[in-house]
Amino acid sequence: MTLEINSIKKKFDEHVAVDGISLKVGKGEMFGLLGANGAGKTTTFRMILGLLDPTEGSVTWGGERITYKRTHLVGYLPEERGLFPKLTVKEQLLYLMRLKGMKKPEIIKEMRTWLERFQVPEYENKKVEELSKGNQQKIQFMAAVLHKPELLILDEPFSGLDPVNSDMLKKAVLDLQQSGTTIVFSSHQMSNVEALCEDLIMLKRGRPVLQGSLKEIKRSYGMKSISIRAD
Ligand code: ATP
């Protein structure tokens, strides 16, 4: 299934947050959205997920809009992390993954696999508030992928992570892509895009200023001209 974004625009009253983004992401492909704070990345994701309606243009996945009926096929790591601090990791994931239609034994099995993989198997019964910010982020990531979504949207997945955890998460993202997951992620760092994918769009104040493969962009502009600052 292809994710297709056709000339989307989003206005909040008179403020234009996103203006003229078009892109296609095929099954098993990964696409990077690059931009500074306020560039329009989160607004674009909300339109992809059907949480916001575009003022103009359309977003389809496999030819249809993403509505609540298809949310079990989609994983979303929001920029504003939203875990319940008083719940244990297990309680947290049971709660969130049941909403996606998973059964308890499957949730427990997948949770243990991911906790092992993230080298924190002992966290199962720890309260979220006892974990460091970086480890909370790993749990939030698990909440986006435990149900094996076909489409994964990651909003600034690496922000606030130390290099070891950031590399661990990048490896997990690459493995998910290899197993056929379609992934769109945002970042304000070019190095993250370089580490993960070939195709990117760079936004400035809601508008695409560069789009294409990293190789082509580097050939045409050189890396020095790629400034991610807002102005
Ligand atoms: P950040 O990482 O800072 O969230 P971003 O690239 O994700 O940056 P957005 O959150 O999409 O950017 O915001 C783009 C612009 O739209 C900003 O100027 C923001 O203030 C504005 N904006 C976003 N949501 C709303 C809203 N609900 N009402 C009004 N303005 C909004």
Side-chain angles (χ1 to χ4, degrees):
M1 285 205 279
T2 303
L3 176 68
E4 276 197 69
I5 301 185
N6 295 308
S7 307
I8 46 168
K9 178 170 184 171
K10 184 68 194 176
K11 276 172 97 177
F12 295 107
D13 299 321
E14 286 314 300
H15 177 68
V16 180
V18 169
D19 193 4
I21 296 179
S22 295
L23 57 92
K24 273 189 190 178
V25 192
K27 181 173 162 41
E29 291 177 359
M30 177 135 54
F31 200 97
L33 225 68
L34 197 63
N37 289 342
K41 306 181 296 293
T42 300
T43 304
T44 301
F45 285 155
R46 289 183 180 152
M47 287 191 276
I48 293 175
L49 293 160
L51 301 172
L52 277 178
D53 287 330
T55 313
E56 288 174 23
S58 64
V59 180
T60 56
W61 182 42
E64 289 175 41
R65 289 183 58 216
I66 296 177
T67 60
Y68 71 95
K69 286 185 194 146
R70 301 172 86 196
T71 49
H72 61 291
L73 301 174
V74 180
Y76 178 40
L77 175 77
E79 189 185 18
E80 64 291 345
R81 316 298 183 206
L83 298 173
F84 298 106
K86 302 285 178 200
L87 295 187
T88 65
V89 167
K90 183 159 84 180
E91 290 165 345
Q92 177 80 57
L93 291 170
L94 280 172
Y95 173 72
L96 292 173
M97 295 300 106
R98 275 178 170 152
L99 295 176
K100 296 274 187 186
M102 281 176 88
K103 299 268 186 298
K104 185 174 176 179
E106 194 193 352
I107 300 171
I108 302 283
K109 180 172 157 276
E110 289 297 323
M111 175 191 71
R112 290 186 179 150
T113 305
W114 276 98
L115 287 175
E116 284 284 345
R117 173 174 192 152
F118 284 153
Q119 298 169 9
V120 287
E122 71 281 14
Y123 284 1
E124 182 173 328
N125 293 309
K126 276 205 176 199
K127 280 188 188 160
V128 167
E129 67 184 1
E130 294 172 53
L131 307 182
S132 68
K133 285 274 174 267
N135 283 322
Q136 288 186 21
Q137 201 151 322
K138 288 181 192 164
I139 306 304
Q140 185 95 57
F141 179 81
M142 286 168 59
V145 301
L146 223 65
H147 61 299
K148 303 193 171 113
E150 293 177 21
L151 174 66
L152 181 58
I153 305 288
L154 303 170
D155 199 350
E156 298 275 359
F158 312 109
S159 71
L161 289 182
D162 63 36
V164 173
N165 281 319
S166 180
D167 284 351
M168 201 182 281
L169 209 63
K170 278 181 194 146
K171 172 92 180 45
V173 171
L174 282 168
D175 286 350
L176 286 167
Q177 184 206 4
Q178 298 257 298
S179 63
T181 312
T182 306
I183 302 172
V184 186
F185 73 98
S186 71
S187 179
H188 55 269
Q189 281 183 307
M190 179 58 100
S191 58
N192 288 329
V193 177
E194 280 189 285
L196 289 177
C197 67
E198 195 35 50
D199 296 308
L200 70 101
I201 188 166
M202 188 168 125
L203 303 177
K204 273 193 186 173
R205 289 194 229 116
R207 288 172 177 274
V209 287
L210 287 176
Q211 184 163 0
S213 85
L214 200 52
K215 252 190 228 134
E216 280 164 21
I217 291 172
K218 278 187 192 170
R219 203 180 305 128
S220 309
Y221 300 94
M223 281 305 279
K224 279 197 182 127
S225 64
I226 303 179
S227 161
I228 296 158
R229 286 176 304 142
D231 295 302

